Amino acid sequence: MNAEWDLVFMSAVIFLPTLFALILMFFPRGSEEWMRWWALMGTALTLVGSLWMFIGFYQQVIDFNSTELNREKMTLTYRADAADRAHAGAKGEGLSDSDWVARRPWIKKFNIDYYVGVDGISMSLLLLTTVLTFLAMVASWKIEKFVRGYLMLFLLLETGMIGTFLALDFFLFYIFWEIMLLPMYFLIGVWGGPRREYAAIKFFLYTLLGSVFILIALLGFYFTDVRDFTPQAVTHAGPTNSFDIMVLQKVGSAAAALNNGTLTREEIAQDALISKLSTLTLADREKLDNGTSTQRTEMRKKYAGEIDRKELEAAVARLNQPFFSQSFQWTMFLLLFIGFAIKVPVFPFHTWLPDAHVEAPTPISMILAGVLLKMGGYGILRIAYPICPWAAQNLAAWVGLFGLINIVYGAFAAMAQTDFKRLVAYSSISHMGYVILGIAVWSAGDRGQYWSWGMNGAMFQMIAHGITSAGMFFLVGVIYDRAHHRNLDNFRGLYEPMPLYGGISAVIFFAAMGLPGMCGFVGEFMVVLATWNFKPWNWEYGGPVFSILSALTVVITAAYILWTLQRVFFGQNPAYKGFPDIDLRELLCIVPLLVLAVLLGVAPNLLLAWMEPSVTGLVKTLIQVSALP
């Protein structure tokens, strides 16, 4: 069997932190400094591995398929289908170690696979995760209590986060999702502030509630017979139940086409059976999967004689399963959306976040804001929308409304805070609202381009917010280490003793504000543009209203950020004149974030060039089953 080196690389990046965590068990007591260096080496090697993965992915997937004709081959859907056909022994297909999609059987009885893969969406979040984890480990140097336990939990948390972004089996995704939960609970509950137990339990209960909703949806999907949408190798006489996210996306697309009336049951069944024929050529498969309506009709006529009539009737009957009903789609989408929205977090499921941030130690706040919130947005993009597109389409206006509420409410709540850390936490709620709004602005037909802008803007905003929020929480931690309080009304005059810290803070906070030329501007601008052409509830002026309100909130954001900088740095305060400026270790943490904040603002194409094909490919797939004008 082919070695599939992409499988080796992806697995190494996922489990390397866990390996380093296990080895920490054998360090003798009293060697805490060596433990820190060992853990730092683990995060550094994981970062190097992710960069190596990116280089391979870029060369073998993005650069290799850089022509307009081959853009489809960059998408995860195309590469996953090709890999499945290769495993099934389809004509003209062979296993590849350069497609960055790989699977191995895990629990065969339940058809659960160790199935991992990467595209522009997950690769961008993987790089964000490994960069922030390395920097947060540097920021963890001052942790003195239970050092071994802290470092082991920190490294296990990294495995959970990376695995979540790379998993393509829903069961595997859920396992990694839960692996993330327990380490974060203990990291807040043991190493947090005075009210750490309350904050940790609140975080745990909210996140567990979301996990239960996701689990219910997972089981609902699993007990659907998906044999008509799986590759030949796993098709047999009985029902086929699967956790394969890519297969479930195909089933979801079929359900949307059926409920929208764009395809009949017989047409869906014909397409499914034709795709399994060994005589189907690669050119005809391309027409069947991605061709126009006329081309797909031609394929059905061409291969009609090769389909057994009884098999076709049985396939049509299987389309009467609950999965394909509107009520099932409504229910499953709401379960998934609420489950992932709690993590984002979306109003009114946001109240755990300020408490968790205020009590968490600085490095954990960096990870919580920089990575964990993005897992909610990623789940909506990877699972909720593609598997339940019909419900997502019909609820798009409501999803967008909740995104807008997040933006406005988070900004006003941030302005009302006097605790520095709580202010940054509420600003995160506001900025993540742009992510939800960008995902929500579902448009089809000649407006499909605008939804693509919104989706790409949402993804860019996730990366930009990951950079700026981690930077802001770290900067709050720097001053807390010196002043031992976070009350904004009791600062003033910090620029005089800490000019370098003040200058860096201004850049990071301006980037979060969305100042042009900074990373925060690009995603928010794309989302606002896309929203203008949105038609919530078929209201012609709905898009402009949403767009204007989201744009005007930038004024509120600028107000609370400028007011914060004024309260912290301007004026004079003799009590703080002896504070040392930011030191070398702290500079090592913040300078990379400072560089990224400016670089992605000045040259956003450094990210969009290889992320956009995957996002636009997802939008194209969803639009194909959309009945909106």
Side-chain angles (χ1 to χ4, degrees):
M1 179 177 287
N2 194 312
E4 287 197 272
W5 287 107
D6 51 357
L7 174 63
V8 175
F9 290 140
M10 287 187 284
S11 299
V13 170
I14 292 172
F15 294 110
L16 192 60
T18 298
L19 176 62
F20 273 75
L22 293 175
I23 294 175
L24 276 172
M25 296 173 62
F26 302 101
F27 277 67
R29 184 175 298 179
S31 58
E32 282 77 9
E33 190 69 13
W34 288 107
M35 292 179 191
R36 294 186 183 97
W37 282 106
W38 178 255
L40 182 64
M41 185 187 301
T43 58
L45 289 177
T46 305
L47 172 58
V48 171
S50 66
L51 292 172
W52 194 351
M53 266 186 63
F54 170 71
I55 292 170
F57 170 75
Y58 187 86
Q59 290 177 341
Q60 297 165 349
V61 176
I62 302 298
D63 196 42
F64 186 75
N65 298 302
S66 57
T67 63
E68 190 65 29
L69 293 175
N70 287 335
R71 276 176 62 89
E72 188 72 29
K73 296 181 180 179
M74 299 184 196
T75 64
L76 185 60
T77 302
Y78 182 94
R79 289 179 285 117
D81 286 347
D84 283 345
R85 293 195 298 270
H87 279 282
K91 180 180 178 181
E93 301 285 354
L95 284 173
S96 170
D97 62 0
S98 60
D99 57 6
W100 293 96
V101 175
R103 77 163 80 219
R104 289 292 182 272
W106 182 19
I107 308 174
K108 289 187 177 181
K109 183 176 181 179
F110 298 104
N111 202 22
I112 299 172
D113 293 334
Y114 175 72
Y115 186 21
V116 291
V118 69
D119 65 350
I121 297 172
S122 53
M123 178 58 76
S124 59
L125 292 167
L126 169 64
L127 292 174
L128 177 69
T129 301
T130 55
V131 168
L132 291 184
T133 305
F134 173 75
L135 297 177
M137 181 56 71
V138 176
S140 300
W141 223 257
K142 290 188 177 181
I143 298 292
E144 298 290 345
K145 184 172 68 172
F146 307 135
V147 174
R148 188 201 312 270
Y150 175 89
L151 298 175
M152 290 181 67
L153 289 169
F154 189 94
L155 291 168
L156 288 173
L157 176 64
E158 183 174 20
T159 285
M161 294 185 297
I162 294 173
T164 299
F165 292 133
L166 296 185
L168 295 180
D169 182 281
F170 204 166
F171 185 85
L172 183 65
F173 173 93
Y174 190 78
I175 293 296
F176 283 125
W177 182 273
E178 292 303 296
I179 286 174
M180 170 277 307
L181 175 60
L182 281 176
M184 183 58 75
Y185 167 75
F186 286 111
L187 287 167
I188 296 173
V190 176
W191 288 273
R195 300 176 71 242
R196 56 184 178 271
E197 293 90 352
Y198 167 78
I201 290 172
K202 194 172 183 180
F203 163 80
F204 186 87
L205 291 178
Y206 267 82
T207 308
L208 185 63
L209 175 64
S211 296
V212 170
F213 285 164
I214 296 169
L215 178 62
I216 295 171
L218 180 151
L219 294 174
F221 295 146
Y222 178 73
F223 289 110
T224 299
D225 184 359
V226 297
R227 73 179 81 178
D228 300 310
F229 301 92
T230 55
Q232 292 169 288
V234 296
T235 303
H236 47 75
T240 296
N241 307 111
S242 179
F243 291 107
D244 187 327
I245 292 174
M246 308 312 295
V247 168
L248 292 173
Q249 288 181 4
K250 293 180 184 178
V251 185
S253 294
L258 184 63
N259 286 304
N260 280 328
T262 53
L263 290 175
T264 65
R265 281 184 170 81
E266 185 162 341
E267 288 172 334
I268 294 171
Q270 280 181 309
D271 291 348
L273 294 176
I274 291 172
S275 68
K276 295 177 180 293
L277 294 174
S278 59
T279 56
L280 183 66
T281 66
L282 292 177
D284 286 350
R285 182 180 299 279
E286 180 67 22
K287 293 178 182 178
L288 186 68
D289 293 341
N290 302 302
T292 63
S293 177
T294 302
Q295 288 176 322
R296 289 195 292 271
T297 301
E298 291 175 355
M299 292 302 102
R300 295 184 195 114
K301 291 179 180 179
K302 180 177 179 179
Y303 290 97
E306 300 184 39
I307 299 176
D308 183 270
R309 190 65 196 176
K310 290 184 178 179
E311 287 187 11
L312 180 60
E313 291 174 355
V316 170
R318 285 190 287 272
L319 293 175
N320 290 313
Q321 295 178 91
F323 190 107
F324 299 93
S325 67
Q326 294 183 1
S327 59
F328 184 92
Q329 289 288 305
W330 282 111
T331 304
M332 294 301 107
F333 177 79
L334 288 173
L335 287 170
L336 288 172
F337 181 77
I338 293 173
F340 292 127
I342 289 173
K343 185 71 74 178
V344 170
V346 173
F347 178 90
F349 309 110
H350 67 286
T351 57
W352 64 268
L353 182 68
D355 292 316
H357 270 310
V358 167
E359 301 305 325
T362 296
I364 304 309
S365 285
M366 293 171 66
I367 296 297
L368 183 58
V371 181
L372 261 67
L373 306 190
K374 313 306 176 287
M375 292 169 66
Y378 176 78
I380 295 171
L381 276 172
R382 179 69 79 207
I383 295 176
Y385 262 55
I387 298 180
C388 302
W390 180 83
Q393 173 188 344
N394 284 276
L395 289 173
W398 293 102
V399 174
L401 179 61
F402 276 103
L404 182 62
I405 291 172
N406 253 45
I407 294 170
V408 178
Y409 166 80
F412 277 104
M415 179 173 280
Q417 304 308 311
T418 56
D419 184 294
F420 204 166
K421 220 175 183 185
R422 192 174 287 270
L423 179 146
V424 178
Y426 275 106
S427 77
S428 290
I429 294 172
S430 179
H431 288 117
M432 288 301 291
Y434 286 96
V435 175
I436 299 301
L437 183 59
I439 292 172
V441 291
W442 190 304
S443 306
D446 58 354
R447 292 179 178 235
Q449 176 188 357
Y450 305 125
W451 188 26
S452 180
W453 292 356
M455 282 281 216
N456 280 284
M459 269 305 305
F460 197 99
Q461 175 69 1
M462 279 203 276
I463 305 302
H465 178 260
I467 293 167
T468 57
S469 63
M472 287 192 292
F473 277 112
F474 176 75
L475 290 168
V476 174
V478 168
I479 197 59
Y480 181 77
D481 288 342
R482 291 157 172 78
H484 305 295
H485 75 85
R486 294 185 298 266
N487 191 333
L488 289 168
D489 293 331
N490 292 342
F491 281 118
R492 300 191 68 82
L494 277 178
Y495 185 78
E496 183 179 350
M498 305 176 67
L500 182 57
Y501 171 81
I504 292 172
S505 297
V507 175
I508 292 293
F509 275 78
F510 284 153
M513 185 175 71
L515 191 71
M518 302 286 187
C519 65
F521 172 77
V522 180
E524 293 180 7
F525 181 71
M526 293 176 71
V527 169
V528 170
L529 280 182
T531 305
W532 187 275
N533 295 280
F534 183 40
K535 285 186 178 181
W537 306 290
N538 289 321
W539 179 28
E540 183 68 31
Y541 300 105
V545 169
F546 277 33
S547 182
I548 290 170
L549 287 175
S550 61
L552 286 176
T553 307
V554 174
V555 178
I556 308 300
T557 303
Y560 71 72
I561 284 180
L562 292 174
W563 190 29
T564 298
L565 293 175
Q566 177 187 351
R567 286 183 286 176
V568 173
F569 295 105
F570 291 2
Q572 292 184 342
N573 192 333
Y576 300 144
K577 283 191 174 180
F579 281 4
D581 207 343
I582 191 167
D583 61 31
L584 184 61
R585 179 187 62 83
E586 293 164 341
L587 281 173
L588 181 60
C589 289
I590 195 62
V591 167
L593 298 176
L594 182 75
V595 172
L596 287 172
V598 176
L599 190 62
L600 290 181
V602 175
N605 209 43
L606 290 174
L607 175 61
L608 289 172
W610 52 271
M611 185 180 72
E612 181 271 335
S614 297
V615 179
T616 302
L618 172 61
V619 171
K620 180 181 176 183
T621 300
L622 294 173
I623 286 177
Q624 284 178 342
V625 296
S626 172
L628 289 177

